[in-house]
Amino acid sequence: DAGVIQSPRHEVTEMGQEVTLRCKPISGHDYLFWYRQTMMRGLELLIYFNNNVPIDDSGMPEDRFSAKMPNASFSTLKIQPSEPRDSAVYFCASSWGLAGGTSETQYFGPGTRLLVL
Amino acid sequence: KNEVEQSPQNLTAQEGEFITINCSYSVGISALHWLQQHPGGGIVSLFMLSSGKKKHGRLIATINIQEKHSSLHITASHPRDSAVYICAVRSKYGGGGADGLTFGKGTHLIIQP
């Protein structure tokens, strides 16, 4: 398996522009997580899905952020409009679910490095 | 919300030394993860544990649920072990919101030849 795939790997955009980050989880995984990493705050959970359904989006900073998972093999994280403080590395991770309904070891994608000027 | 504290923040050691990185958390958990972030930025899951001890090669992870504490040990350290080691916890209770991880700030480890 190719692992978790994220695109683009790098994105430079200007303030006010729309940014769309993409993630393809490992085939068969039913959990998908979006994380953000900054120097100041470290890694933070933004949102996660189970079987394509958003379970917890309490980490999404504000209404400018939205995430979708239209099917089991694809998810997007959109920022509209983007601001300089959104500059960070955005990681997608996926995992299997356990029988009890919680997730197993998470496998991380390579991340998307976003710079908003 | 769980608070995750790691120590030390930075650690420089000589090749061959025994390394210990500590992690403590404030609220009951269902699982604790140790992650390794390479200088290039990629993140790899090293261990997931909920009790006892796990070993993989030169890496050993232990957890004490009562004390809310975990340690990651590296034996016979090597320069290629240089990375950021991150502790992350998953909340104890199932259901909505319990599966996402809460992360420590990481320990920057440098192993000098």
Side-chain angles (χ1 to χ4, degrees), chain B:
Chain B
K1 187 179 172 185
N2 223 330
E3 299 293 329
V4 181
E5 298 288 336
Q6 284 186 241
S7 63
Q9 289 186 348
N10 298 283
L11 177 58
T12 300
Q14 294 298 120
E15 183 174 357
E17 286 189 39
F18 181 81
I19 303 299
T20 296
I21 299 171
N22 297 299
C23 175
S24 60
Y25 50 92
S26 58
V27 180
I29 63 170
S30 61
L32 183 143
H33 297 244
W34 280 103
L35 309 171
Q36 180 191 55
Q37 186 165 28
H38 301 293
I43 297 176
V44 175
S45 179
L46 298 174
F47 295 103
M48 187 183 77
L49 64 165
S50 55
S51 65
K53 179 169 75 174
K54 285 189 176 180
K55 184 176 188 291
H56 181 69
R58 295 180 295 104
L59 301 177
I60 304 167
T62 64
I63 188 168
N64 186 316
I65 296 296
Q66 287 72 31
E67 294 185 4
K68 296 187 176 61
H69 181 268
S70 175
S71 294
L72 176 68
H73 306 284
I74 305 175
T75 62
S77 59
H78 190 276
R80 64 175 176 266
D81 297 327
S82 299
V84 177
Y85 292 85
I86 302 169
C87 172
V89 300
R90 192 175 76 215
S91 297
K92 185 173 185 178
Y93 301 102
D99 293 289
L101 299 176
T102 301
F103 298 87
K105 289 285 192 288
T107 295
H108 293 246
L109 174 66
I110 297 173
I111 303 297
Q112 295 178 335

Side-chain angles (χ1 to χ4, degrees), chain A residues 33-44:
Chain A
F33 305 82
W34 281 101
Y35 296 102
R36 178 173 68 176
Q37 184 177 39
T38 62
M39 289 293 292
M40 291 297 296
R41 300 172 67 92
L43 275 160
E44 301 174 288

Side-chain angles (χ1 to χ4, degrees), chain A residues 20-95:
Chain A
T20 299
L21 311 181
R22 297 173 176 79
C23 176
K24 177 178 167 52
I26 292 173
S27 178
H29 283 189
D30 51 4
Y31 281 82
L32 183 140
F33 305 82
W34 281 101
Y35 296 102
R36 178 173 68 176
Q37 184 177 39
T38 62
M39 289 293 292
M40 291 297 296
R41 300 172 67 92
L43 275 160
E44 301 174 288
L45 173 68
L46 297 177
I47 184 172
Y48 78 91
F49 297 82
N50 178 216
N51 292 320
N52 313 338
V53 176
I55 303 300
D56 181 7
D57 64 355
S58 59
M60 296 285 263
E62 47 198 271
D63 291 346
R64 297 184 298 106
F65 285 69
S66 63
K68 294 182 179 180
M69 192 165 186
N71 57 63
S73 59
F74 184 66
S75 177
T76 60
L77 177 67
K78 187 174 293 186
I79 309 172
Q80 166 65 13
S82 59
E83 296 182 4
R85 59 191 166 124
D86 302 330
S87 298
V89 181
Y90 291 81
F91 287 98
C92 176
S94 69
S95 70

Side-chain angles (χ1 to χ4, degrees), chain A residues 98-115:
Chain A
L98 297 174
T102 57
S103 62
E104 252 290 341
T105 300
Q106 297 185 19
Y107 295 83
F108 285 76
T112 295
R113 193 172 297 272
L114 173 66
L115 178 61

